[in-house]
Amino acid sequence: MTAAIRLTPRVGVVMTLAAFLGLVAFFWPFVVAPGKFGSNYAPPLIFGVLLILVLCVVLSEIAEGGIDSKALAMLGVLSAVNAALRPLGAGTAGIETVFFVLVLAGRVYGPGFGFTLGCTSLFASALITGGVGPWMPYQMFGCAFVGMLAGFLPRASGRREVLLLAVYGSLSGYLFGFLLNLSFWPFSLDPNSSIAYLPGLPFTEQWQRYIAFDITTSLGWDTGRAVTNFVCVMLAGPAVLTTFRRAARRARFRAPVRFEAARSAVSKPD
């Protein structure tokens, strides 16, 4: 299956750099101590702005590398669908209805499409639900990588493919929560707590504190997201994959344009 968005070598380099900067932005508590930029809240805000700039660069590179009108239309439709699905589940025991479409679309239409859909879906959802804030760039980046990695999963077919995507969707639910918690962990607890962020500690002790924080405060919520992803992919995956692939065949993304010489309808005189 031809990917909806072509990843050129240049785009690959940009996305690799974006991945590195994204990891730095998420793991900033282990890199920069609060207060280094004049305010305890400066690091997440600075990295949030950096993530927005990085996403803009990546999306512009992807657009320049090859996204046609059909892929753009598909992106708009799925972004709207995801934006409409998200409010149906978010806020109840960690149930998230946005990820399974993201995983399936990234699988069928490729990593570039999955990355872009993750960004646009969360952006559209934030505008609809009023969820615009300093956390939004982190959510966009996290979903972008969920969709992108789905496009890099190994080949499979039939039930094995559906099970592979369901397991990946479940793991991505835990990974998304694990990463998002890093953005606000240093400010969410009393510094005297045994699981709070404490500047100056060695990496191993800091890491143990964060693992304990994530398990204590977020494991139940992340489990709800993981179970939702698994169940949605197992139940709706076969039908959605078939629909997506049928749409891809009909759209023939980036199909080469061929011109044939016009045949003369005028017959030669006798």
Side-chain angles (χ1 to χ4, degrees):
M1 184 68 67
T2 302
I5 297 178
R6 182 167 56 94
L7 290 182
T8 64
R10 179 177 173 180
V11 174
V13 172
V14 172
M15 291 185 69
T16 301
L17 294 176
F20 173 75
L21 292 176
L23 290 176
V24 173
F26 278 112
F27 285 87
W28 72 264
F30 302 99
V31 180
V32 180
K36 283 292 183 68
F37 296 117
S39 171
N40 287 342
Y41 297 95
L45 294 177
I46 292 174
F47 285 121
V49 173
L50 177 62
L51 285 181
I52 292 178
L53 295 177
V54 169
L55 290 174
C56 290
V57 171
V58 173
L59 294 179
S60 65
E61 288 290 339
I62 289 176
E64 184 179 351
I67 177 171
D68 59 16
S69 58
K70 293 174 287 188
L72 190 61
M74 181 65 70
L75 180 65
V77 170
L78 293 183
S79 297
V81 169
N82 256 357
L85 285 176
R86 193 181 183 203
L88 300 179
T92 307
I95 297 174
E96 289 278 3
T97 52
V98 68
F99 284 89
F100 86 98
V101 173
L102 185 59
V103 169
L104 298 177
R107 172 67 172 183
V108 174
Y109 299 125
F113 189 93
F115 184 96
T116 309
L117 180 62
C119 295
T120 55
S121 295
L122 265 292
F123 182 75
S125 174
L127 294 181
I128 292 175
T129 61
V132 178
W135 56 84
M136 187 182 70
Y138 294 92
Q139 292 179 336
M140 291 173 61
F141 212 90
C143 284
F145 275 89
V146 169
M148 182 190 71
L149 292 176
F152 288 121
L153 291 176
R155 292 184 178 181
S157 60
R159 294 182 179 179
R160 291 182 59 186
E161 181 183 33
V162 175
L163 181 60
L164 172 67
L165 294 174
V167 172
Y168 169 75
S170 181
L171 293 177
S172 67
Y174 285 109
L175 178 61
F176 181 81
F178 184 85
L179 291 176
L180 264 295
N181 289 341
L182 282 168
S183 63
F184 63 85
W185 169 50
F187 318 114
S188 58
L189 295 174
D190 184 346
N192 296 322
S193 172
S194 61
I195 60 175
Y197 175 75
L198 188 61
L201 285 182
F203 175 83
T204 53
E205 294 184 30
Q206 205 77 273
W207 183 256
Q208 291 173 0
R209 282 173 171 255
Y210 178 69
I211 295 298
F213 167 82
D214 185 69
I215 293 175
T216 303
T217 64
S218 183
L219 183 61
W221 188 275
D222 294 341
T223 299
R225 183 188 300 112
V227 171
T228 302
N229 293 345
F230 187 89
V231 172
C232 287
V233 173
M234 290 297 295
L235 294 179
V240 175
L241 286 173
T242 301
T243 302
F244 283 173
R245 284 174 172 145
R246 183 181 297 117
R249 286 194 297 268
R250 292 184 177 182
R252 297 183 63 197
F253 297 114
R254 296 186 291 107
V257 179
R258 298 177 181 177
F259 297 94
E260 295 183 0
R263 296 180 180 178
S264 176
V266 180
S267 60
K268 294 182 179 180
D270 295 335

